[in-house]
Amino acid sequence: MNGQSSKLLISTIQEKKALMYIDETTFTKWQLQYGETLSLKAGQRSIEIAVESFSSTSRECKLSSFASQYLTLPPFTHPISVTFLPSTKTVIIGPFLALLTNQSLLTDGTFGEMDVFFQEMHTYSTTLGIPFYLTTLQSLESEVITGYWFHENSWEPCVLPFPSALYNRIHSRRLERTDRFEQFTAHLQAKKIPLFNSCFLSKWDVHEMLVQDESLQPHLPDTILLRAQEAFYSFLQHHAVIYVKPIFGSQGKHIGKATKLEKGWLFEHSGNTQDTHFVQSEAELFFYLKKFCKQRSFIIQKGIPLLECKQKKVDFRILLHQTKEDVWKVTSAIARIGDTGHIVSNIARGAEMKNGIQFLKELFDRQQAIHLYHTLTHLAKKTAHSLDKQHEGLLGELGIDLALDEQFHPWIIEVNSKPSKRFDGTRDKLRPSVKALIDYMSTLHHTLKNEG
């Protein structure tokens, strides 16, 4: 589908007919004829429209209010990508890209702690001439969608064209398991709109997929579901330290650590370093853990003697994104240095963040630091690739937690499909992850367009 694309500043004029005025330079470039009829498309709506030229020193087009309202176009303040397809005499505005959220709009026109990230997505999209907006779960039986458009420093609710790709940032696992979410995704599929990172990942499902890859098996801690007593007792015969983790947990919450002592087991809680409990037998530990889990599904994982810095546990969060070449690329790598006494090193549990390679250079000589960094990032890419091949839905972004043990062997700790977008207040430029996400969404649009 060959077309001619330009960035045009789109404005609206009061006119009750379906008219479009295009600057003379673009009009001539597209070899248009005065008064001819074109099909103008935005999202899944299109309208037959007469086209005329006008004199302008900039690339722009003026749409009649009738056409603009029919296509449900938002107020554009920056040039937008517009493509002309000569073979079908069609002009396409966009693509429109969107982010799916369950965050509520506050009275000040922002979305709270996620607003910086949302605005970064909008800013980068604007530089590319791509309209970007936020939307929520709703019925998609019509040709338009209700969303939030960023205008005059706040998000405003309005009716918008359908997006060409959608990024799922819903923060509720419960909401993703509702009929409402299922109906929403079914409507997207029917309209051939790709949704990526469509759900939170279960720790157990991730383990079950990755363990199928022989090259990853040496990097996966022994793991079982906390279910049958006999399997639990057998697991304890092989491991003197175990971690108990909710299969849908996040931010280091509700994690427990049990350590075998001379006359029993000591249990520690991630939420409170003072919250310890001693049991004398494996049976007592099993029933204590079942009580700790409160009917939720948990996994039991072999404890790894992690690399430490000043008696603080260290792991690494590797953020990866898909590229247009279907390759997983490392966008960032940070070291997370846990708070003293904590059994986890999550940022939400008080961990300190440092640039990954710089942190390694502080601990090791330059050559070994670079070697370890490449070992970690290579394993992260292999993990993402393996999971991507086996996971049913589209994955465009993954946060992979890796760790080195005391012998510097790398381990896969966790894979997160909704990595944190926390803002530390010191950033003066767009995050690489923001650019990678918008670029991936654009890739999904172009792939679908070419297939269509």
Side-chain angles (χ1 to χ4, degrees):
M1 187 182 296
N2 296 321
Q4 303 176 47
S5 296
S6 300
K7 284 186 185 180
L8 304 181
L9 183 60
I10 301 174
S11 59
T12 301
I13 57 174
Q14 292 300 315
E15 175 61 63
K16 295 182 179 180
K17 296 180 180 179
L19 293 174
M20 178 169 63
Y21 299 89
I22 299 178
D23 68 272
E24 290 177 342
T25 302
T26 305
F27 194 88
T28 301
K29 177 184 175 182
W30 289 354
Q31 299 181 346
L32 299 175
Q33 301 298 317
Y34 187 87
E36 73 174 307
T37 300
L38 305 175
S39 178
L40 179 62
K41 184 177 181 180
Q44 298 206 340
R45 275 194 170 184
S46 61
I47 185 173
E48 297 301 303
I49 196 163
V51 61
E52 299 179 9
S53 66
F54 73 101
S55 178
S56 174
T57 56
S58 59
R59 296 291 185 92
E60 60 177 313
C61 78
K62 298 179 181 180
L63 289 179
S64 64
S65 54
F66 175 83
S68 182
Q69 290 169 11
Y70 178 79
L71 296 175
T72 63
L73 298 180
F76 296 118
T77 56
H78 297 83
I80 297 298
S81 177
V82 179
T83 302
F84 175 58
L85 306 178
S87 59
T88 58
K89 295 292 184 179
T90 301
V91 176
I92 302 173
I93 299 174
F96 287 76
L97 304 179
L99 180 148
L100 179 65
T101 181
N102 63 320
Q103 302 287 110
S104 298
L105 183 67
L106 303 179
T107 55
D108 62 357
T110 74
F111 284 88
E113 63 180 13
M114 286 294 290
D115 204 67
V116 173
F117 173 64
F118 292 163
Q119 286 194 40
E120 284 185 86
M121 296 281 282
H122 160 77
T123 299
Y124 182 61
S125 300
T126 297
T127 65
L128 300 178
I130 298 175
F132 170 83
Y133 61 87
L134 311 175
T135 191
T136 57
L137 291 179
Q138 58 195 270
S139 172
L140 300 180
E141 294 177 331
S142 66
E143 296 173 331
V144 295
I145 190 170
T146 300
Y148 298 92
W149 180 256
F150 194 73
H151 183 61
E152 295 182 351
N153 295 317
S154 66
W155 298 94
E156 299 178 357
C158 59
V159 179
L160 292 151
F162 264 44
S164 296
L166 198 53
Y167 169 37
N168 178 23
R169 281 300 302 194
I170 283 182
H171 284 70
S172 168
R173 294 174 177 82
R174 183 178 298 176
L175 188 56
E176 287 185 345
R177 294 193 290 267
T178 61
D179 291 341
R180 186 181 175 197
F181 184 81
E182 187 175 333
Q183 292 167 2
F184 182 84
T185 54
H187 286 155
L188 290 177
Q189 291 175 359
K191 296 177 183 297
K192 297 182 178 181
I193 298 173
L195 171 76
F196 70 96
N197 287 41
S198 59
C199 64
F200 282 94
L201 298 176
S202 152
K203 291 182 179 65
W204 178 247
D205 290 345
V206 168
H207 176 79
E208 287 286 87
M209 285 186 275
L210 296 183
V211 80
Q212 303 302 316
D213 188 329
E214 290 186 6
S215 68
L216 295 179
Q217 289 174 6
H219 307 284
L220 291 166
D222 289 347
T223 304
I224 63 169
L225 281 171
L226 177 57
R227 187 172 292 170
Q229 282 181 254
E230 291 305 318
F232 177 72
Y233 296 156
S234 176
F235 196 81
L236 294 185
Q237 297 304 310
H238 296 91
H239 307 297
V241 179
I242 63 168
Y243 276 81
V244 189
K245 302 177 179 180
I247 64 170
F248 283 115
S250 63
Q251 298 183 333
K253 296 178 180 178
H254 310 299
I255 293 177
K257 176 187 178 183
T259 305
K260 185 172 178 57
L261 304 178
E262 186 177 349
K263 295 183 179 180
W265 291 80
L266 178 68
F267 183 80
E268 300 170 83
H269 194 294
S270 63
N272 184 351
T273 57
Q274 307 303 316
D275 185 7
T276 60
H277 188 81
F278 179 78
V279 296
Q280 294 182 327
S281 68
E282 295 175 350
E284 192 177 348
L285 178 61
F286 178 79
F287 288 109
Y288 179 81
L289 292 181
K290 294 295 284 186
K291 182 180 179 182
F292 171 76
C293 295
K294 298 178 180 177
Q295 305 300 316
R296 297 170 64 189
S297 297
F298 275 65
I299 59 171
I300 304 291
Q301 205 165 61
K302 163 191 172 182
I304 299 167
L306 294 185
L307 173 72
E308 293 190 358
C309 174
K310 299 178 182 179
Q311 299 183 323
K312 297 179 179 181
K313 298 185 184 303
V314 177
D315 68 11
F316 298 84
R317 164 60 63 90
I318 315 293
L319 188 62
L320 303 100
H321 293 88
Q322 281 256 41
T323 69
K324 61 182 178 182
E325 293 83 14
D326 291 327
V327 173
W328 282 94
K329 180 180 178 182
V330 173
T331 309
S332 67
I334 64 168
R336 303 188 299 188
I337 303 96
D339 199 11
T340 303
H342 274 279
I343 65 172
V344 295
S345 52
N346 297 72
I347 303 303
R349 302 288 104 186
E352 177 188 0
M353 289 192 301
K354 284 191 176 182
N355 177 278
I357 184 63
Q358 294 302 323
F359 172 77
L360 289 169
K361 287 179 178 178
E362 292 174 9
L363 292 189
F364 306 98
D365 63 62
R366 186 175 186 277
Q367 184 175 354
Q368 187 176 11
I370 292 174
H371 170 72
L372 290 172
Y373 177 79
H374 287 314
T375 297
L376 290 167
T377 53
H378 179 66
L379 178 58
K381 286 187 277 191
K382 284 178 62 177
T383 302
H385 179 71
S386 181
L387 188 60
D388 189 31
K389 283 197 305 181
Q390 299 182 67
H391 185 68
E392 289 185 1
L394 286 172
L395 293 173
E397 175 182 54
L398 290 171
I400 300 181
D401 295 342
L402 304 177
L404 295 169
D405 62 22
E406 293 171 345
Q407 282 72 47
F408 312 137
H409 179 77
W411 294 92
I412 302 166
I413 305 300
E414 188 174 326
V415 180
N416 193 336
S417 61
K418 307 282 184 75
S420 171
K421 298 303 175 186
R422 175 177 173 173
F423 177 65
D424 57 23
T426 60
R427 191 171 292 108
D428 57 359
K429 59 182 179 180
L430 293 177
R431 281 171 272 194
S433 62
V434 167
K435 297 180 179 181
L437 285 165
I438 294 296
D439 291 345
Y440 178 67
M441 294 170 80
S442 299
T443 296
L444 290 178
H445 159 69
H446 289 297
T447 300
L448 189 67
K449 182 177 70 173
N450 292 334
E451 290 176 351

